[in-house]
Amino acid sequence: MSAPHHEHGREDLCSAGTELYERALRQGQLPAADAQAAPCLTDLGLLHPAVDDPIQLEPVAPVVALHRLLRTYEERIADERRREARLAETFGSLMRIADPPLAATGTRTIQLHTGTEPINRAIAEAMADASEELVTVQPRAGLTGERGQVADAASLGRDQAALDRGCRIRTLYPHTLRHFPIIAARCERLKGDVQIRTLDEVPDRLILIDRAVAFVPAGEDGRLALEIRHPAIVDHFATTFDRLWRLATPMYPVAAPQPSLKGVTPRQHAIATLLVEGHTDAVIADRLGMNIRTARVHIAKLAATLGSQSRAQLGFLIGRSGILDREP
């Protein structure tokens, strides 16, 4: 007795069909009624009506059946390849239309760089042609340790070469980095027109060269970056930087004193703003470019200044004190 037939693909041979096909091969013929239990046999062309008795089915030789099936698959694969070629040809022309336009130099106006070395190489190549100005936004200080020393040496060399060609360098940092030794040491080593200002909070990292090419992060781990040469986007970055620059407090070469309002420092003012917005200590630390322990120290100092005994009371006292009514 043959195994029961189960639904399957029309191009597959099930166990029931295999048993019936083996039986047909041994007996030479098979009643057509028996083959109804496995329709896959006729679908695959493994059985055909006998010439002398139509109600009987004869098996096709396995070698012939296999050859036919393989040829069918080969034809289907060839059809799929022809279809792929047609699609590739059609979409190839469409992708050329949709590709970012090319700048006068023949480079794409927006290009993604992956990996620290390719990113640094692209920045170095762009800076090699700089002749006017390099502006940067740095929300955090440089890396520490051996890796940081290598990266700092490379960027220091690029910056000094640009300064030697007569370029100006302007950089925005958050207030929290005003007294970082690594920044002060960098300023002392660079010779030329270097200016640094600080704000409560700055946007994500930006490198803008001659107002012609910009580099911005494309991921959180620093291993993806966009090189942008589209004039409208680059102009937008330049305008945004100029507006932030006018609002920022000078740090180098001449540091302007940071005013204190009601005993609250500008750094504490920035923290108070984020506290009132409901941010956690971790978010505040990340937004202001400091570690979470430092952020909590400043929050404690702010609480002591305002006489707060709890986090909830601190928010109330910040609002009542009026320190957020105007910028410090």
Side-chain angles (χ1 to χ4, degrees):
M1 181 177 179
S2 300
H5 188 264
H6 300 286
E7 290 296 328
H8 59 80
R10 290 177 58 85
E11 298 174 353
D12 297 327
L13 185 61
C14 61
S15 58
T18 301
E19 291 181 12
L20 285 172
Y21 184 52
E22 290 176 355
R23 187 174 130 203
L25 288 172
R26 292 190 181 96
Q27 297 177 357
Q29 289 185 341
L30 193 71
D34 291 355
Q36 293 178 1
C40 53
L41 291 175
T42 52
D43 290 341
L44 292 173
L46 299 180
L47 297 177
H48 62 82
V51 175
D52 57 348
D53 189 356
I55 64 172
Q56 295 290 320
L57 297 177
E58 293 180 345
V60 175
V63 64
V64 175
L66 178 61
H67 177 71
R68 288 177 181 174
L69 291 173
L70 291 178
R71 186 174 60 189
T72 299
Y73 291 138
E74 289 171 356
E75 290 174 353
R76 181 171 303 139
I77 292 171
D79 287 341
E80 289 296 328
R81 287 176 176 167
R82 286 191 289 269
R83 182 170 179 268
E84 290 175 3
R86 290 195 302 270
L87 287 173
E89 181 180 359
T90 300
F91 279 86
S93 60
L94 295 174
M95 286 188 287
R96 286 191 292 272
I97 295 173
D99 270 347
L102 301 182
T105 59
T107 57
R108 295 185 185 279
T109 58
I110 300 179
Q111 186 173 357
L112 178 67
H113 297 288
T114 304
T116 302
E117 291 187 7
I119 292 172
N120 289 334
R121 185 165 54 247
I123 294 174
E125 290 174 357
M127 285 189 61
D129 299 326
S131 59
E132 298 178 8
E133 183 181 51
L134 167 68
V135 302
T136 65
V137 177
Q138 302 288 359
R140 293 174 180 81
L143 297 172
T144 59
E146 182 178 351
R147 181 184 173 193
Q149 292 175 359
V150 173
D152 185 61
S155 62
L156 193 69
R158 294 196 303 257
D159 290 357
Q160 187 60 61
L163 290 168
D164 293 342
R165 292 193 300 271
C167 291
R168 175 178 66 167
I169 295 180
R170 292 189 293 160
T171 302
L172 278 173
Y173 285 105
H175 287 325
T176 52
L177 302 183
R178 284 182 72 90
H179 304 293
F180 264 49
I182 188 174
I183 297 174
R186 182 181 179 83
C187 292
E188 292 175 358
R189 295 171 65 185
L190 289 173
K191 307 301 180 184
D193 187 359
V194 178
Q195 301 176 35
I196 297 178
R197 295 187 180 184
T198 62
L199 284 168
D200 280 346
E201 187 178 357
V202 298
D204 209 342
R205 192 179 185 202
L206 167 69
I207 298 175
L208 183 60
I209 304 167
D210 281 354
R211 297 181 178 246
V213 54
F215 291 87
V216 296
E220 296 181 358
D221 61 358
R223 296 186 56 80
L224 293 175
L226 290 178
E227 177 182 347
I228 303 172
R229 294 179 181 267
H230 193 292
I233 301 176
V234 173
D235 285 346
H236 174 77
F237 286 140
T239 300
T240 301
F241 180 88
D242 287 341
R243 291 176 178 174
L244 293 174
W245 185 259
R246 288 193 292 271
L247 297 172
T249 302
M251 170 183 165
Y252 183 87
V254 178
Q258 292 182 280
S260 176
L261 176 65
K262 298 183 179 179
V264 176
T265 67
R267 186 177 301 183
Q268 292 169 356
H269 179 275
I271 290 175
T273 301
L274 297 176
L275 280 172
V276 170
E277 291 177 2
H279 296 295
T280 64
D281 294 353
V283 171
I284 292 172
D286 183 68
R287 291 273 293 268
L288 298 181
M290 62 178 71
N291 62 53
I292 192 169
R293 182 180 300 175
T294 302
R296 286 171 176 164
V297 168
H298 286 295
I299 292 172
K301 290 181 179 179
L302 179 62
T305 300
L306 298 179
S308 172
Q309 301 298 319
S310 67
R311 187 65 170 254
Q313 186 184 26
L314 178 57
F316 169 75
L317 292 176
I318 289 173
R320 193 179 67 174
S321 68
I323 62 174
L324 300 184
D325 294 345
R326 62 184 178 89
E327 293 296 325

